[in-house]
Amino acid sequence: MAAKKTTTDKTDHFGLDFATFARIIDELHDEIIVYDNNYKVVYANKACQRHYGYTQQEMIGKNFSFFVAENNRCWDVSILPTVYKLKKALKQEQKTHLGADIFTIATPIFDENGEIEFVPMNVHDDYHKGSIKRFTDIKDAVENPRRGSRKA
């Protein structure tokens, strides 16, 4: 008899091993940061360095209090404590200590007892405006590469 799959066994669901999946998440433009129920960072992708100046390795394992301490205030409005208090998803525009304007969405994930187990946050910025082209701005050139060029 085959072993029963659990909800934590996602390899078949994604078609990827964990290392490959983590590598993909690490390269997302948007920041992904995950806190556990002790307010400790259990995951942060590479975008966190652009927002706060800390590498993934420097952020993972640190407590939320480190990032909001008076001498190290990484962002101006902290929503994590309120997510825990209300047990609801929240969104907030923020400014980081490096001057980045960010938009954060925090969504609690509950355990089998209805308590918050993790709070992943998706953090978006406008940094890409100057470095990534909008498809609609290049669409015509991509779809009709010969338009505009004339034969001599």
Side-chain angles (χ1 to χ4, degrees), residues 117-129:
E117 186 173 15
F118 298 103
V119 177
M121 294 182 172
N122 183 64
V123 183
H124 181 74
D125 64 36
D126 286 339
Y127 178 79
H128 66 280
K129 281 188 175 181

Side-chain angles (χ1 to χ4, degrees), residues 11 14-27 43:
T11 303
F14 290 117
L16 302 169
D17 59 71
F18 179 76
T20 302
F21 183 73
R23 192 179 65 158
I24 292 168
I25 301 303
D26 282 346
E27 296 299 327
Y43 177 80

